[in-house]
Amino acid sequence: MSASFASALNAARDAAAAQHYPQGALYVVATPIGNLADITLRALHVLQLADTIACEDTRHTQALLRAYGIEKNGGQWLALHQHNEAEASLSVVERLRAGQRVAYASDAGTPGVSDPGARLVAAVHAAGLRAVPLPGASSVTSALSAAGAVAQSAEGFLFAGFLPTKSGERATAVQRLSVETRCVVLLEAPHRIAELALALAVLGDRQVTLARELTKQFEEIATQPARALPAWLAEGTQRCRGEFVVLLHPVQPTQDEGDSLRVLKLLMQELPLKSAVRLAAEITGASRNALYESALAFKQEGTEDA
């Protein structure tokens, strides 16, 4: 056990042991994306409690657990990754039906987002069994929280994951995303980030945040126009190292607020409120949430005038 985590297991027991952890349930465990201190106390407790540890890479997860002082024997490990997820899911279901607690962890972060796990959880649900989430580290939400790319008045974000690796297909995907008004979250590997940057450069002045090595010693988060991405990456070889989260910031409205509100008022004269808001947002590029709030205010003003 790492000396830094010598007291972690006791803290996990004290903080989490009072909760009920039913047998015959799958526990979907988020693990650190780089910094070992980002493990949760509930995760540590469940990893100790689990009868089986299913994971993307048994060697990786075994090393992770040993860092916290958790040891499991050979029969308690089950490899479950993208190449065997369907078959291995059947084994998990069998163990759950036998009353085992099974914990599933991908190599880093929250399973089932861009890592394996979704098919496993679907199989567990199809068998009428329970899946229990243990939230924790996520590169997606970590990057979003530090980039300021999703304002409260915006319409959320789109998780697009990894774009196609072939240049033509990637260019088509970028063209499709160029008209997406919401923040777009992409993931990319270090050996392909330069190619992705070139593909995104066609977006011109659209702001893009690159977040690499999140939670690690050399974490770097930088925001610049899409056209500047290739040059920024070329400034140092270290800038192409590590896993990347790439955020395309929301497209700025092309019309001013007065124009969007005038369009909204005209549409409200002919359409139900929600339909008027949806069309006004599509026509003007303004935030649907902001237009909806304005529409409610207009409606209230009309009621008071009457």
Side-chain angles (χ1 to χ4, degrees):
M1 181 195 306
S2 168
S4 302
F5 299 103
S7 61
L9 297 186
N10 288 335
R13 182 188 64 247
D14 293 341
Q19 181 177 341
H20 177 56
Y21 298 93
Q23 294 179 303
L26 172 70
Y27 294 86
V28 185
V29 183
T31 55
I33 58 177
N35 192 319
L36 289 179
D38 289 338
I39 193 74
T40 71
L41 295 179
R42 282 184 70 213
L44 286 177
H45 184 70
V46 166
L47 290 171
Q48 293 179 86
L49 196 64
D51 301 295
T52 294
I53 304 292
C55 54
E56 190 174 1
D57 186 328
T58 55
R59 294 167 299 179
H60 176 91
T61 305
Q62 188 174 53
L64 178 70
L65 265 61
R66 282 178 175 167
Y68 305 119
I70 300 174
E71 292 286 346
K72 298 289 182 179
N73 63 49
Q76 292 181 289
W77 292 94
L78 176 66
L80 190 151
H81 44 74
Q82 63 176 336
H83 303 297
N84 77 340
E85 189 168 359
E87 179 182 355
S89 294
L90 297 178
S91 179
V92 170
V93 168
E94 290 177 1
R95 296 183 187 217
L96 295 178
R97 284 175 171 160
Q100 289 193 17
R101 297 182 183 94
V102 178
Y104 179 70
S106 57
D107 285 348
T110 303
V113 180
S114 63
D115 293 332
R119 294 173 69 183
L120 167 62
V121 172
V124 169
H125 287 316
L129 300 167
R130 182 177 177 185
V132 180
L134 270 68
S138 164
S139 63
V140 172
T141 54
S142 296
L144 284 168
S145 69
V150 182
Q152 286 184 333
S153 60
E155 299 176 350
F157 64 91
L158 170 69
F159 177 68
F162 290 91
L163 293 189
T165 57
K166 294 183 179 179
S167 59
E169 295 176 357
R170 187 189 307 113
T172 300
V174 170
Q175 183 62 37
R176 185 176 65 251
L177 293 174
S178 67
V179 297
E180 172 57 59
T181 59
R182 294 170 292 177
C183 174
V184 178
V185 182
L186 304 174
L187 302 176
E188 193 51 275
H191 63 281
R192 289 197 300 264
I193 189 61
E195 296 174 359
L196 177 62
L198 285 172
L200 294 177
V202 301
L203 300 180
D205 290 330
R206 184 166 182 176
Q207 293 293 295
V208 177
T209 294
L210 295 182
R212 70 177 194 88
E213 295 282 77
L214 285 171
T215 78
K216 300 179 183 178
Q217 180 178 358
F218 299 107
E219 173 183 278
E220 190 168 14
I221 302 172
T223 301
Q224 59 252 301
R227 54 180 166 74
L229 294 177
W232 184 84
L233 286 172
E235 288 178 5
T237 56
Q238 78 281 358
R239 285 190 169 170
C240 287
R241 295 174 182 168
E243 301 297 323
F244 283 80
V245 181
V246 181
L247 307 180
L248 310 185
H249 287 231
V251 173
Q252 296 301 313
T254 57
Q255 297 185 350
D256 63 30
E257 184 179 11
D259 288 339
S260 63
L261 294 182
R262 282 192 291 273
V263 171
L264 176 62
K265 284 184 176 180
L266 289 171
L267 291 172
M268 287 181 66
Q269 294 175 14
E270 305 293 336
L271 298 170
L273 186 146
K274 289 186 178 180
S275 297
V277 168
R278 177 177 57 79
L279 286 175
E282 292 179 1
I283 292 169
T284 67
S287 164
R288 185 180 299 186
N289 288 346
L291 288 173
Y292 185 75
E293 292 175 3
S294 297
L296 292 177
F298 293 154
K299 189 174 182 180
Q300 181 64 30
E301 290 172 4
T303 301
E304 291 176 353
D305 293 342

